[in-house]
Amino acid sequence: MNLPPMIAALRHHKAAVTLIALQVALTCAIVCNAIFLIASHAQRLHVSSGIEDDALVWARSSGLRRGDGADARARADLDALRHLPGVTAVAQVNTLPLMGNDWSADLGVTAGDAQPAVNGAALFLGTPSFLGTLGVRLVEGRDFHADEYVDYSPFDDTPAPPTAIVTRQLAAHLWPGQPALGQRVYIGAGSSQGALVVGVVADVARSAISGGTSDHDVLLLPVRTVAGPYALRVDPTHRDEVLRTLPAALIAQDADRIVTDREAFVDTVHRYFHDDRAMVWLLVTVVGSLLLVTALGILGLSSYWVHQRRRHIGVRRALGATRRSILTYFLAENMLVVGLGLAIGTCVAMWLNHWLGERYEVPRLPLSWLGIGALLLWAIGLVAVFGPARRAAAQPPMWVIRQ
């Protein structure tokens, strides 16, 4: 295809060329970033909690307070919940994966080191049998022994538990290329008392995830009691029944309490990702609308463009141009105009991503996503112009010239 005549022809239709190029540029800038955000949020929706979601329910009570008698009340509550029909295990925990309230601490691998090896790792504290209650899968080592559960709070000056269990991801961050079993982990900057790592579990999600490399940096610690919800491992077929009978079992232990929350863990996970699902659908709607408007714009301007040059088309056909050459000419011309818009749009897309990153901590847009967006818009441009170009190429030469 000879470019100089094509460029000369385009210069006679500056308004149409400018409108199409600007529309493609604006769409490209928005669509590239939107598709990347859709992929990022969709990826979060597939994050596994790392525990058996459908076999877990949890409850929180306003009557559970630390202080005199708190430990005895907690043990009585656990015993009452353990005897509910359908409950196979129960424990008290400080939080659960994807619950939204993260407990975190800096971790070190050397006693007294003020420089942590991992910043802000999540802490999961639980009473006896809490690994089995959650359904966490050990991949190395062992579970906690009964005598390793101690009184501990990361907010007090109490000594750390003697043992700890880490996720595979946390182990890789603390001791890259080394076995985690038998290592000591120090909780808090400058700590001199380390917990011996006795087990490694498959990756458990934090209570709050960000889509980064620290989403499974979790340290599990054994405690006798902790302020937090009760977790109940249940037979999934009795889950609804347990949720109904659970409040009465707790109130029977303390009539002054209120069961403030109770929920199946699958519903907790579903609720946690509500905003991500809403964002995905919003962005899909925006992208779909923009692509539709762009396609209609190219279609409308191309139809007008072809109509304005019908005599030129007739002359070319009379001089021997085939239908295929006419069709190819208009497709190539459209590719040139859309390519101009994409060149501008990719630059704007990169600037827009940089602006969003500075203000909203949006991840940097990979160049591959620019290519995906450009190919998508190029394909839409070709499809939109194909109809008008095909109709123009199909008309007999003399009929076109007479119009």
Side-chain angles (χ1 to χ4, degrees):
M1 185 64 65
N2 197 357
L3 285 179
M6 187 181 298
I7 294 174
L10 292 176
R11 292 178 62 184
H12 292 291
H13 301 85
K14 294 179 181 178
V17 171
T18 301
L19 285 174
I20 292 176
L22 289 178
Q23 186 175 26
V24 170
L26 179 62
T27 303
C28 178
I30 297 175
V31 165
C32 287
N33 282 281
I35 291 177
F36 176 57
L37 291 176
I38 289 172
S40 299
H41 284 279
Q43 186 177 10
R44 279 169 54 90
L45 295 176
H46 292 89
V47 171
S48 171
S49 67
I51 65 178
E52 297 188 20
D53 299 359
D54 61 345
L56 192 71
V57 301
W58 63 271
R60 185 181 287 115
S61 168
S62 64
L64 187 62
R65 299 184 178 88
R66 299 183 67 81
D68 294 340
D71 292 357
R73 288 198 300 273
R75 286 193 295 270
D77 289 346
L78 291 170
D79 188 60
L81 295 173
R82 194 174 289 113
H83 288 87
L84 288 176
V87 175
T88 58
V90 62
Q92 190 177 10
V93 295
N94 65 321
T95 187
L96 290 169
L98 306 177
M99 183 173 273
N101 52 328
D102 226 4
W103 288 27
S104 62
D106 295 338
L107 303 180
V109 294
T110 305
D113 192 354
Q115 183 63 36
V118 169
N119 292 299
L123 302 180
F124 279 20
L125 282 61
T127 59
S129 77
F130 88 107
L131 262 69
T133 300
L134 300 184
V136 177
R137 183 171 62 88
L138 272 167
V139 293
E140 292 182 66
R142 62 171 176 83
D143 198 348
F144 298 116
H145 291 160
D147 59 353
E148 293 171 344
Y149 289 86
V150 297
D151 293 324
Y152 169 74
S153 170
F155 308 111
D156 300 335
D157 294 329
T158 52
T163 56
I165 292 175
V166 298
T167 58
R168 282 184 299 198
Q169 186 182 80
L170 180 59
H173 290 162
L174 288 172
W175 305 284
Q178 303 178 45
L181 293 181
Q183 303 277 8
R184 287 196 174 272
V185 57
Y186 297 85
I187 305 170
S191 174
S192 59
Q193 183 181 9
L196 181 69
V197 176
V198 297
V200 178
V201 298
D203 288 332
V204 176
R206 305 175 64 121
S207 296
I209 62 173
S210 61
T213 57
S214 64
D215 284 347
H216 298 91
D217 281 349
V218 178
L219 181 71
L220 298 96
L221 299 170
V223 294
R224 289 197 184 100
T225 185
V226 62
Y230 294 122
L232 294 80
R233 185 176 176 82
V234 302
D235 181 342
T237 60
H238 291 80
R239 190 171 57 203
D240 293 340
E241 180 185 352
V242 170
L243 285 171
R244 285 195 302 270
T245 58
L246 186 153
L250 289 176
I251 292 173
Q253 304 303 312
D254 181 359
D256 294 329
R257 82 165 78 217
I258 298 174
V259 178
T260 54
D261 300 290
R262 70 183 191 278
E263 191 173 45
F265 186 67
V266 288
D267 296 331
T268 302
V269 174
H270 187 269
R271 178 164 45 83
Y272 183 85
F273 290 117
H274 173 270
D275 291 345
D276 291 286
R277 285 192 299 274
M279 180 62 71
V280 166
W281 284 112
L282 175 62
L283 291 174
V284 166
T285 303
V286 170
V287 168
S289 300
L290 276 173
L291 293 177
L292 177 61
V293 170
T294 300
L296 291 176
I298 294 175
L299 175 63
L301 287 173
S302 298
S303 298
Y304 173 75
W305 202 343
V306 169
H307 180 74
Q308 288 292 100
R309 291 191 289 177
R310 63 189 183 279
R311 293 185 63 83
H312 172 74
I313 297 169
V315 171
R316 289 195 61 190
R317 289 295 311 282
L319 293 176
T322 63
R323 293 182 179 181
R324 182 183 181 85
S325 64
I326 296 294
L327 178 62
T328 303
Y329 176 86
F330 279 106
L331 292 177
E333 196 174 66
N334 176 264
M335 289 180 66
L336 188 63
V337 176
V338 172
L340 174 63
L342 291 176
I344 300 171
T346 51
C347 295
V348 177
M350 294 176 67
W351 172 85
L352 179 61
N353 177 254
H354 177 72
W355 182 84
L356 291 171
E358 285 187 338
R359 286 159 178 78
Y360 303 105
E361 298 183 358
V362 172
R364 184 174 296 277
L365 177 66
L367 294 179
S368 58
W369 288 101
L370 291 174
I372 292 173
L375 288 175
L376 179 62
L377 284 167
W378 225 325
I380 288 175
L382 289 176
V383 171
V385 79
F386 184 81
R390 187 171 179 272
R391 287 194 298 272
Q395 298 298 333
M398 297 309 298
W399 184 89
V400 175
I401 293 173
R402 290 170 181 167
Q403 298 306 306

